[in-house]
Structures are given as C-alpha cells and as structure tokens.
Amino acid sequence: MEPNATPSDHFTEQERQRLRRLLDEDDIRKLAIAYAHSLDQGDLAPLGDILTDDICCHFGPYGEWQGLDCVIQNFEQVFLDLGGIPFTSMHAGSGHCIHFLDANNATGRRQLMDFMTTRLPKENPVMWLALYDEAYQRTDNGWRISSISVEFLWPERHISAEFSNKKFPSS
C-alpha cells in the first residue's frame, strides 16, 4: 500500500467470507461464555437461548442428558447439590477452537478448569480439568449448542472410547 493510501471501503468476496466466519466464531464463543456464567450463577433460564431444544449431552460420570428440559432440570439439581449459592463452582474455559463443517454447522473444542470457591485456601480448588467437544448449529434464532461431550481428565479420568482416537481438525 502506498504511504498515503487508505484502505478501500469495499471488501473482496474473500474478505466478506472471512468477516462472516469471524462474526460466526464470535457468536459461538459468546455462547460458551454465556453457558458457563449461567451454570455458575445458577440462573439457568438463559440456557434456552444457548442450547437447542434437542440438545444431547454426554457428561461422563454425570450421565447422558437428552433435551433442553432434562438439561435444565439436571443442572438445577447440580446447583442445589453444590449448595445453591451462585459461583460456588466456576467454569473457566480457554483454548476454544472452532471448525466449520458448512455455513450452518460447526464443531468446537475448549478446555475446562472447574474451580470450587468453597474450599479452604490450603485445599486444592480444582474440581475438574476437562475438555468440551461441542457441535453448533445455526438456527432461525442464531447459533446454538446442539451437542456437548465432556471428557474428564483430572482428578479422575472419564473419557469416552471415541475420544481416544479423536483429533480436532486444525482448520
């Protein structure tokens, strides 16, 4: 670009496609953040705007959960089992990689560090280290999480047979 040149106000088709992909990635990452805050706060109503109605969840030692109503009911019980106080557990996620299958479907993997805030300072606050493998679907109401599989790595190892051979796509 020339020293005094300004970027064009017009995007190439390739740039438009890249912008669409970046906007979609941002929407999907916002779902993951909203999901974690909803769980940790104990306010599960937002899950209706985060998950599909037919969500399928594989939660290792916590079992298989099918459908939005089942997921909300089970998370309500987990929240009560943890004391019913907001932010007793904190789901810290990182390393969110997203792979688009097509314009309306994607998969993702993100890391989970689940902390218990009620433990004493001399105790280890880590409840779980795990990986989320998820599927995302574009709906009439935006992106939603349609499938969640959690592979628990520490302090107990609960991994599915599929996980042993599963590699996340690099693109």
Side-chain angles (χ1 to χ4, degrees):
M1 185 181 287
E2 296 294 321
N4 295 327
T6 58
S8 170
D9 290 335
H10 303 284
F11 291 106
T12 66
E13 181 57 30
Q14 185 178 21
E15 289 171 325
R16 277 193 291 279
Q17 289 174 8
R18 184 170 176 226
L19 286 170
R20 166 53 39 214
R21 182 70 39 104
L22 288 170
L23 291 169
D24 288 341
E25 286 178 0
D26 187 56
D27 287 345
I28 290 170
R29 287 192 175 105
K30 285 178 182 174
L31 287 176
I33 293 167
Y35 170 85
H37 281 278
S38 179
L39 297 185
D40 295 342
Q41 191 167 320
D43 178 12
L44 302 174
L47 291 180
D49 293 328
I50 297 167
L51 309 174
T52 59
D53 290 337
D54 62 347
I55 181 78
C56 179
C57 300
H58 308 279
F59 287 144
Y62 300 98
E64 307 283 322
W65 302 357
Q66 304 287 324
L68 182 60
D69 291 339
C70 174
V71 169
I72 289 174
Q73 181 180 6
N74 286 341
F75 275 136
E76 284 173 347
Q77 188 58 54
V78 169
F79 183 73
L80 292 174
D81 290 347
L82 292 174
I85 300 167
F87 301 104
T88 296
S89 171
M90 292 188 68
H91 293 76
S94 67
H96 196 170
C97 298
I98 299 167
H99 175 74
F100 287 89
L101 304 173
D102 57 40
N104 298 311
N105 295 282
T107 59
R109 175 174 282 172
R110 55 193 175 98
Q111 299 161 334
L112 168 68
M113 295 149 287
D114 192 3
F115 297 99
M116 293 299 298
T117 62
T118 56
R119 293 189 176 157
L120 297 173
K122 65 182 177 185
E123 298 176 310
N124 186 345
V126 178
M127 184 172 165
W128 290 110
L129 296 178
L131 288 175
Y132 275 94
D133 280 330
E134 298 171 318
Y136 314 104
Q137 182 178 42
R138 187 190 311 269
T139 70
D140 291 340
N141 298 311
W143 286 97
R144 298 289 186 266
I145 301 172
S146 60
S147 173
I148 301 172
S149 180
V150 181
E151 305 291 347
F152 295 88
L153 304 172
W154 187 89
E156 297 172 14
R157 200 164 183 86
H158 299 276
I159 59 172
S160 65
E162 299 83 29
F163 180 72
S164 301
N165 297 321
K166 187 176 183 181
K167 292 183 181 174
F168 192 76
S170 60
S171 60

